Amino acid sequence: MDRILPEDLLRRLCRARDAIHERSNEALTLDHLARAAGLSRFHFLRSFREAFSATPHQYLTRVRLHRARQLLLEERASVTEVCFEVGFQSLGSFSALFRRRFFQVPHAKERSIIPCCYLAWFSNSGEAPRAAAR
């Protein structure tokens, strides 16, 4: 059963959440975030999970992955550069987490999947694809 968090506690948790968004490329620890919220680390961990349905580490990882995806879509840097720019320390971990989150491996150039029937349609100058002769 979900309970409503007191306004003061929610405000403190939002300060920590904002710190995650502002400093997601840094090595943030549970102690740093609990200090930003002005709570003990254990109370902070329990309350954060209750408020945002994720632990601070899970939330930080999600923020980093979404930022990485943005940078990859902008094609400003290689996968390795993006990995380290958003705060990951390991390219292997980054790639595995990215694949698990977005169901694809990270690419410097995002590729969209186009069904073959559309490719055939547009490659024939707008003519409908011809049925194969039997």
Side-chain angles (χ1 to χ4, degrees):
M1 176 185 238
D2 293 333
R3 70 180 179 101
I4 298 174
L5 295 173
E7 186 177 333
D8 178 56
L9 177 58
L10 191 56
R11 192 175 306 115
R12 290 168 179 245
L13 295 172
C14 286
R15 272 198 307 251
R17 183 198 58 194
D18 293 344
I20 289 174
H21 283 275
E22 292 167 4
R23 300 171 34 210
S24 63
N25 60 334
E26 298 176 21
L28 296 174
T29 65
L30 186 60
D31 289 328
H32 287 112
L33 296 171
R35 207 171 309 121
L39 300 169
S40 75
R41 58 190 307 229
F42 300 109
H43 183 54
F44 170 71
L45 179 60
R46 282 190 309 271
S47 300
F48 193 96
R49 184 184 309 130
E50 186 174 356
F52 301 112
S53 301
T55 65
H57 179 67
Q58 291 167 335
Y59 192 89
L60 173 62
T61 300
R62 193 178 317 146
V63 168
R64 286 176 173 170
L65 288 172
H66 282 279
R67 178 71 183 131
R69 188 162 192 232
Q70 263 183 322
L71 292 173
L72 291 171
L73 286 170
E74 294 170 6
E75 300 181 34
R76 292 182 10 200
S78 71
V79 174
T80 303
E81 292 168 335
V82 167
C83 165
F84 294 113
E85 184 177 333
V86 298
F88 285 98
Q89 302 299 312
S90 162
L91 183 57
S93 296
F94 167 70
S95 295
L97 289 166
F98 192 96
R99 185 174 49 249
R100 193 175 310 141
R101 181 81 181 157
F102 300 114
F103 303 105
Q104 63 186 36
V105 294
H107 293 285
K109 184 174 183 181
E110 194 74 22
R111 296 182 184 141
S112 58
I113 299 172
I114 302 171
C116 293
C117 59
Y118 288 108
L119 288 175
W121 176 273
F122 290 108
S123 66
N124 289 332
S125 302
E127 296 177 11
R130 296 190 174 98
R134 293 183 190 216

